[in-house]
Amino acid sequence: MVDIATRVYNHKWKIDPIVRSLIDTDFYKLLMCQSVFRNRPDAQVRFSLINRSQDVPLAQLIDEGELREQLDHIRSLSLSRGESTWLRGNTFYGKRQMFRSDFMEWFENLRLPPYELERKGDQYELTFEGKWHEVMLWEIPALAVLMELRSRAVLDQMGRFELQVLYARAMTRVWEKIERLRQIDGLSVADFGTRRRHGFLWQDWCVQAMIEGLGPRFTGTSNCLIAMRREVEAIGTNAHELPMVYSALAADDAALAKAPYEVLSDWHEEHDGNLRIILPDTYGTQGFLDRAPGWLAGWTGIRIDSGDPASGAETAIRWWIERGEDPTQKRVIFSDGLDVTKMEELHAQFAGRVQVSFGWGTLLTNDFRGLVPDDRLAPFSLVCKAVSANGKPTVKLSDNPQKAMGPADEIARYKRVFNVGRQDSFEVVV
Amino acid sequence: MVDIATRVYNHKWKIDPIVRSLIDTDFYKLLMCQSVFRNRPDAQVRFSLINRSQDVPLAQLIDEGELREQLDHIRSLSLSRGESTWLRGNTFYGKRQMFRSDFMEWFENLRLPPYELERKGDQYELTFEGKWHEVMLWEIPALAVLMELRSRAVLDQMGRFELQVLYARAMTRVWEKIERLRQIDGLSVADFGTRRRHGFLWQDWCVQAMIEGLGPRFTGTSNCLIAMRREVEAIGTNAHELPMVYSALAADDAALAKAPYEVLSDWHEEHDGNLRIILPDTYGTQGFLDRAPGWLAGWTGIRIDSGDPASGAETAIRWWIERGEDPTQKRVIFSDGLDVTKMEELHAQFAGRVQVSFGWGTLLTNDFRGLVPDDRLAPFSLVCKAVSANGKPTVKLSDNPQKAMGPADEIARYKRVFNVGRQDSFEVVV
């Protein structure tokens, strides 16, 4: 029996929208947005799309008209009543009313600001400029749209059964990963794969597979819409954009040196418990920890997002011990380029010494490697970053120089201010 | 959006019927049924289920009440108007009105006769006794019901995502087989997998995958319902039951010796072209060909269904040459226990020397080997055979003594009458 209503409903769309909700975004964007809305409401920020994988010619693969349609559709979205009710009434990290009334009133009336799009050779220049707390909400939907339009460009050329078998293979792969993860006692893993997902429906499938396959070892998803629909925890804390923008806004070198701690001081006022997670690598982990104020060692944990993850965790453990803290009471969240083997290794090395968690991203929600000819569905490294604030460029050093960002002279200045020496380089795959 | 009508429709069924149409059966059963209806309308025949895989305890796995429900449902079926129109109006093997009016009128009024079911230890005794042309139509639906109830017994214990991944793996396997078959120039392969399929929907999927993946190299399916729905050729000619029952009905040894040729003489009158396919192995291929009447060498081809397939084809080629026929104009249809590697080998050995075709059965529509613990979805060797006619036991010798059937004294008599000596034995997997 054909479901006529569904078919008619589907045909009402001129396009097949990729992002259909303002909360189809990462939870930490909303936490950060609220923080920015309160603490830096006047900052003017520019976000830019950056394709680190220049061998993926996005502008050849994706039609500019289709891209504009998708982005315009996102600008037509506003928070639905049910979404608002969920954000206002749900418990996040054990806390009710995580989002304050003034923030929610603003969010309920928000439409995303305009974008600028231009084709440059085989790539697109896509930028968003305006109030920080508005443009920052473009990051995740912009990435989701570009990732999924690229998937569609490849999928469009496939037959119906080829498609079914493609997904059969990808499902089998995810399930085999879950079956391996299931063997890890005391595992704690969340989905961090929104930004570089193969597609929305695929991420939703992966989350449901994790729910069934891992039970309580699956701690939740960073995606708010999926967390709401699948009734799992929304997961996430904060990201590099906070110290990057705070730093760019700093008036001089002395203010710059303090800026990353100012971020955490603002956060400390707003949040407690499992939301107090240090992200130490923006300008080099070792120096950041060495110069940290005393109260920061009392935070609940740390997120390791670049460099060699085991070294990063060992650095954190040494730091906690130096500061008189008990590492076994601290949480270490690994979130950089994870796949099952790496999680097995890190868990074996650190379980019992600290509380280990994983934020599993691209290789959960976009592992289509090797499934089509020329690997045209392989994940690639696309980011959307704050590149300037009040007209001044942002800088990121990271623990991996391959992930550094910013003009050369500013990078040199930041290295001097934050006393960053030689760094080991790691290939950025995803 | 939930399709309420479909959900309500599905809930109207007390059971989820496995066989929903009288033409969810093999095409050759209908051809043979018409032949029996014309030539042996008074023969009383008894069909019995035989599980050659005694390690599969069907009566432990399948609830007797559910089995009765499914069989009772089949007894409630009659030919639908659309099915009747298709059988009357469609072209089969290039011929219109393959089914005569008197046969169609009888078929349109047919309900399948009663069954007898009894549990014996871990197996079921399931028998059908009555007019040959009526009880013979039980064979395929009875097998389909038992195969699918066994699948369901295993699937019932699996979670939703386990199920999805199970089918993902099975689909991937079928597609990888199709991708290998696609490499064979001049391939000609049909689906013969109804009788031992994993389930109806699965067979239907496999056929659609073959249509998309193999194009014209896929010549059709033995399943009439799927052929009708998917608009592909219905494929099949005749089976061992014809010589087995004709032989059992023979009054003495002299009549017995002639019986297998009488079958083909009746067939010769009714059919021509690609329907004139010899099935030579019921009482030993070599002797059958040696004693065959002259006109039989003029038939279009031969089906190799037991013994070593390459030897069988070589025997046929030698026989055609002896009889002054050109083997390159003859069709050899391999249909016993095929999988891709065997098809590749046979095609390499015989393409160009004869016209090669494959009837691919169990390992197309039921290759779930190794996909669940303890291999509880592996295909197994279930048959439903004519065991007696007018009270006299039937006998099959085959080219593989593992497939022989009948009482020991009758087997000895048949071996003497048909002059069958030592035979090589081959394990019967499916």
Side-chain angles (χ1 to χ4, degrees), chain A residues 75-93:
Chain A
R75 291 202 62 211
S76 79
L77 295 172
S78 63
L79 207 60
S80 81
R81 191 162 163 175
E83 291 162 355
S84 173
T85 301
W86 181 74
L87 286 175
R88 283 174 180 270
N90 192 49
T91 302
F92 299 101
Y93 281 83

PDB file of all heavy atoms in Angstrom, chain A residues 75-93:
ATOM      1  N   ARG A  75      18.029  29.520   6.709  1.00  0.00           N
ATOM      2  CA  ARG A  75      17.667  30.874   7.167  1.00  0.00           C
ATOM      3  C   ARG A  75      16.162  31.000   7.394  1.00  0.00           C
ATOM      4  O   ARG A  75      15.711  31.948   8.046  1.00  0.00           O
ATOM      5  CB  ARG A  75      18.134  31.938   6.166  1.00  0.00           C
ATOM      6  CG  ARG A  75      19.659  32.070   6.112  1.00  0.00           C
ATOM      7  CD  ARG A  75      20.061  33.420   5.562  1.00  0.00           C
ATOM      8  NE  ARG A  75      19.578  34.500   6.412  1.00  0.00           N
ATOM      9  CZ  ARG A  75      19.228  35.712   5.975  1.00  0.00           C
ATOM     10  NH1 ARG A  75      19.288  35.985   4.679  1.00  0.00           N
ATOM     11  NH2 ARG A  75      18.801  36.634   6.829  1.00  0.00           N
ATOM     12  N   SER A  76      15.363  30.090   6.844  1.00  0.00           N
ATOM     13  CA  SER A  76      13.909  30.151   7.047  1.00  0.00           C
ATOM     14  C   SER A  76      13.481  29.442   8.332  1.00  0.00           C
ATOM     15  O   SER A  76      12.324  29.527   8.736  1.00  0.00           O
ATOM     16  CB  SER A  76      13.189  29.518   5.843  1.00  0.00           C
ATOM     17  OG  SER A  76      13.228  28.101   5.940  1.00  0.00           O
ATOM     18  N   LEU A  77      14.426  28.741   8.957  1.00  0.00           N
ATOM     19  CA  LEU A  77      14.066  27.956  10.155  1.00  0.00           C
ATOM     20  C   LEU A  77      13.978  28.839  11.391  1.00  0.00           C
ATOM     21  O   LEU A  77      14.755  29.780  11.558  1.00  0.00           O
ATOM     22  CB  LEU A  77      15.128  26.883  10.418  1.00  0.00           C
ATOM     23  CG  LEU A  77      15.286  25.777   9.372  1.00  0.00           C
ATOM     24  CD1 LEU A  77      16.509  24.928   9.715  1.00  0.00           C
ATOM     25  CD2 LEU A  77      14.029  24.918   9.293  1.00  0.00           C
ATOM     26  N   SER A  78      13.034  28.508  12.266  1.00  0.00           N
ATOM     27  CA  SER A  78      13.078  29.068  13.613  1.00  0.00           C
ATOM     28  C   SER A  78      12.744  27.950  14.590  1.00  0.00           C
ATOM     29  O   SER A  78      12.253  26.885  14.191  1.00  0.00           O
ATOM     30  CB  SER A  78      12.114  30.235  13.756  1.00  0.00           C
ATOM     31  OG  SER A  78      10.792  29.789  13.571  1.00  0.00           O
ATOM     32  N   LEU A  79      13.048  28.194  15.829  1.00  0.00           N
ATOM     33  CA  LEU A  79      12.853  27.181  16.854  1.00  0.00           C
ATOM     34  C   LEU A  79      11.375  26.805  16.930  1.00  0.00           C
ATOM     35  O   LEU A  79      10.508  27.672  17.027  1.00  0.00           O
ATOM     36  CB  LEU A  79      13.317  27.764  18.195  1.00  0.00           C
ATOM     37  CG  LEU A  79      13.812  26.782  19.247  1.00  0.00           C
ATOM     38  CD1 LEU A  79      15.003  25.988  18.733  1.00  0.00           C
ATOM     39  CD2 LEU A  79      14.201  27.546  20.515  1.00  0.00           C
ATOM     40  N   SER A  80      11.067  25.528  16.903  1.00  0.00           N
ATOM     41  CA  SER A  80       9.663  25.121  17.019  1.00  0.00           C
ATOM     42  C   SER A  80       9.256  25.113  18.493  1.00  0.00           C
ATOM     43  O   SER A  80      10.099  25.111  19.387  1.00  0.00           O
ATOM     44  CB  SER A  80       9.470  23.730  16.406  1.00  0.00           C
ATOM     45  OG  SER A  80       9.876  22.740  17.326  1.00  0.00           O
ATOM     46  N   ARG A  81       7.957  25.078  18.698  1.00  0.00           N
ATOM     47  CA  ARG A  81       7.447  25.098  20.064  1.00  0.00           C
ATOM     48  C   ARG A  81       7.953  23.890  20.866  1.00  0.00           C
ATOM     49  O   ARG A  81       8.369  24.018  22.016  1.00  0.00           O
ATOM     50  CB  ARG A  81       5.917  25.067  19.985  1.00  0.00           C
ATOM     51  CG  ARG A  81       5.278  25.349  21.293  1.00  0.00           C
ATOM     52  CD  ARG A  81       3.826  25.750  21.077  1.00  0.00           C
ATOM     53  NE  ARG A  81       3.096  25.631  22.329  1.00  0.00           N
ATOM     54  CZ  ARG A  81       1.843  26.004  22.493  1.00  0.00           C
ATOM     55  NH1 ARG A  81       1.180  26.505  21.453  1.00  0.00           N
ATOM     56  NH2 ARG A  81       1.243  25.883  23.644  1.00  0.00           N
ATOM     57  N   GLY A  82       7.920  22.724  20.226  1.00  0.00           N
ATOM     58  CA  GLY A  82       8.371  21.507  20.921  1.00  0.00           C
ATOM     59  C   GLY A  82       9.854  21.564  21.243  1.00  0.00           C
ATOM     60  O   GLY A  82      10.297  21.133  22.317  1.00  0.00           O
ATOM     61  N   GLU A  83      10.643  22.104  20.318  1.00  0.00           N
ATOM     62  CA  GLU A  83      12.087  22.227  20.558  1.00  0.00           C
ATOM     63  C   GLU A  83      12.355  23.175  21.720  1.00  0.00           C
ATOM     64  O   GLU A  83      13.194  22.906  22.580  1.00  0.00           O
ATOM     65  CB  GLU A  83      12.778  22.730  19.285  1.00  0.00           C
ATOM     66  CG  GLU A  83      12.787  21.700  18.150  1.00  0.00           C
ATOM     67  CD  GLU A  83      13.050  22.303  16.774  1.00  0.00           C
ATOM     68  OE1 GLU A  83      13.143  23.548  16.662  1.00  0.00           O
ATOM     69  OE2 GLU A  83      13.144  21.527  15.810  1.00  0.00           O
ATOM     70  N   SER A  84      11.616  24.272  21.717  1.00  0.00           N
ATOM     71  CA  SER A  84      11.779  25.246  22.786  1.00  0.00           C
ATOM     72  C   SER A  84      11.409  24.635  24.138  1.00  0.00           C
ATOM     73  O   SER A  84      12.117  24.790  25.142  1.00  0.00           O
ATOM     74  CB  SER A  84      10.918  26.465  22.474  1.00  0.00           C
ATOM     75  OG  SER A  84      10.935  27.349  23.556  1.00  0.00           O
ATOM     76  N   THR A  85      10.296  23.919  24.153  1.00  0.00           N
ATOM     77  CA  THR A  85       9.856  23.263  25.389  1.00  0.00           C
ATOM     78  C   THR A  85      10.920  22.297  25.893  1.00  0.00           C
ATOM     79  O   THR A  85      11.230  22.223  27.083  1.00  0.00           O
ATOM     80  CB  THR A  85       8.540  22.493  25.126  1.00  0.00           C
ATOM     81  OG1 THR A  85       7.564  23.423  24.679  1.00  0.00           O
ATOM     82  CG2 THR A  85       8.062  21.788  26.383  1.00  0.00           C
ATOM     83  N   TRP A  86      11.509  21.573  24.974  1.00  0.00           N
ATOM     84  CA  TRP A  86      12.546  20.597  25.353  1.00  0.00           C
ATOM     85  C   TRP A  86      13.768  21.313  25.932  1.00  0.00           C
ATOM     86  O   TRP A  86      14.277  20.936  26.982  1.00  0.00           O
ATOM     87  CB  TRP A  86      12.915  19.749  24.134  1.00  0.00           C
ATOM     88  CG  TRP A  86      13.940  18.695  24.400  1.00  0.00           C
ATOM     89  CD1 TRP A  86      13.759  17.518  25.072  1.00  0.00           C
ATOM     90  CD2 TRP A  86      15.314  18.722  24.001  1.00  0.00           C
ATOM     91  NE1 TRP A  86      14.924  16.808  25.109  1.00  0.00           N
ATOM     92  CE2 TRP A  86      15.901  17.524  24.463  1.00  0.00           C
ATOM     93  CE3 TRP A  86      16.104  19.635  23.300  1.00  0.00           C
ATOM     94  CZ2 TRP A  86      17.243  17.214  24.238  1.00  0.00           C
ATOM     95  CZ3 TRP A  86      17.436  19.325  23.074  1.00  0.00           C
ATOM     96  CH2 TRP A  86      17.994  18.134  23.546  1.00  0.00           C
ATOM     97  N   LEU A  87      14.231  22.367  25.239  1.00  0.00           N
ATOM     98  CA  LEU A  87      15.412  23.084  25.726  1.00  0.00           C
ATOM     99  C   LEU A  87      15.149  23.706  27.100  1.00  0.00           C
ATOM    100  O   LEU A  87      16.002  23.696  27.977  1.00  0.00           O
ATOM    101  CB  LEU A  87      15.829  24.181  24.741  1.00  0.00           C
ATOM    102  CG  LEU A  87      16.494  23.721  23.449  1.00  0.00           C
ATOM    103  CD1 LEU A  87      16.738  24.919  22.527  1.00  0.00           C
ATOM    104  CD2 LEU A  87      17.818  23.009  23.721  1.00  0.00           C
ATOM    105  N   ARG A  88      13.936  24.235  27.269  1.00  0.00           N
ATOM    106  CA  ARG A  88      13.594  24.879  28.550  1.00  0.00           C
ATOM    107  C   ARG A  88      13.380  23.854  29.657  1.00  0.00           C
ATOM    108  O   ARG A  88      13.757  24.079  30.813  1.00  0.00           O
ATOM    109  CB  ARG A  88      12.319  25.716  28.400  1.00  0.00           C
ATOM    110  CG  ARG A  88      12.507  27.055  27.693  1.00  0.00           C
ATOM    111  CD  ARG A  88      11.138  27.718  27.488  1.00  0.00           C
ATOM    112  NE  ARG A  88      11.211  29.014  26.817  1.00  0.00           N
ATOM    113  CZ  ARG A  88      11.344  30.185  27.451  1.00  0.00           C
ATOM    114  NH1 ARG A  88      11.445  30.229  28.767  1.00  0.00           N
ATOM    115  NH2 ARG A  88      11.389  31.317  26.760  1.00  0.00           N
ATOM    116  N   GLY A  89      12.766  22.720  29.325  1.00  0.00           N
ATOM    117  CA  GLY A  89      12.313  21.819  30.388  1.00  0.00           C
ATOM    118  C   GLY A  89      13.178  20.589  30.623  1.00  0.00           C
ATOM    119  O   GLY A  89      13.079  19.944  31.663  1.00  0.00           O
ATOM    120  N   ASN A  90      14.013  20.244  29.655  1.00  0.00           N
ATOM    121  CA  ASN A  90      14.783  19.001  29.788  1.00  0.00           C
ATOM    122  C   ASN A  90      15.922  19.165  30.809  1.00  0.00           C
ATOM    123  O   ASN A  90      16.379  20.275  31.068  1.00  0.00           O
ATOM    124  CB  ASN A  90      15.374  18.619  28.426  1.00  0.00           C
ATOM    125  CG  ASN A  90      15.941  17.212  28.421  1.00  0.00           C
ATOM    126  OD1 ASN A  90      15.282  16.277  28.853  1.00  0.00           O
ATOM    127  ND2 ASN A  90      17.167  17.070  27.948  1.00  0.00           N
ATOM    128  N   THR A  91      16.365  18.054  31.366  1.00  0.00           N
ATOM    129  CA  THR A  91      17.532  18.043  32.240  1.00  0.00           C
ATOM    130  C   THR A  91      18.786  17.798  31.404  1.00  0.00           C
ATOM    131  O   THR A  91      18.839  16.823  30.659  1.00  0.00           O
ATOM    132  CB  THR A  91      17.390  16.897  33.268  1.00  0.00           C
ATOM    133  OG1 THR A  91      16.189  17.109  33.990  1.00  0.00           O
ATOM    134  CG2 THR A  91      18.568  16.860  34.210  1.00  0.00           C
ATOM    135  N   PHE A  92      19.748  18.704  31.505  1.00  0.00           N
ATOM    136  CA  PHE A  92      21.027  18.516  30.806  1.00  0.00           C
ATOM    137  C   PHE A  92      22.124  18.409  31.855  1.00  0.00           C
ATOM    138  O   PHE A  92      22.235  19.279  32.720  1.00  0.00           O
ATOM    139  CB  PHE A  92      21.321  19.696  29.875  1.00  0.00           C
ATOM    140  CG  PHE A  92      20.299  19.878  28.793  1.00  0.00           C
ATOM    141  CD1 PHE A  92      19.314  20.841  28.895  1.00  0.00           C
ATOM    142  CD2 PHE A  92      20.319  19.059  27.668  1.00  0.00           C
ATOM    143  CE1 PHE A  92      18.366  21.015  27.895  1.00  0.00           C
ATOM    144  CE2 PHE A  92      19.374  19.228  26.666  1.00  0.00           C
ATOM    145  CZ  PHE A  92      18.394  20.203  26.780  1.00  0.00           C
ATOM    146  N   TYR A  93      22.923  17.386  31.770  1.00  0.00           N
ATOM    147  CA  TYR A  93      23.993  17.163  32.751  1.00  0.00           C
ATOM    148  C   TYR A  93      23.423  17.269  34.177  1.00  0.00           C
ATOM    149  O   TYR A  93      24.023  17.875  35.054  1.00  0.00           O
ATOM    150  CB  TYR A  93      25.140  18.165  32.540  1.00  0.00           C
ATOM    151  CG  TYR A  93      26.035  17.765  31.382  1.00  0.00           C
ATOM    152  CD1 TYR A  93      25.691  18.089  30.066  1.00  0.00           C
ATOM    153  CD2 TYR A  93      27.223  17.047  31.596  1.00  0.00           C
ATOM    154  CE1 TYR A  93      26.502  17.712  28.998  1.00  0.00           C
ATOM    155  CE2 TYR A  93      28.038  16.675  30.536  1.00  0.00           C
ATOM    156  CZ  TYR A  93      27.677  17.011  29.244  1.00  0.00           C
ATOM    157  OH  TYR A  93      28.498  16.627  28.184  1.00  0.00           O
TER     158      TYR A  93
END
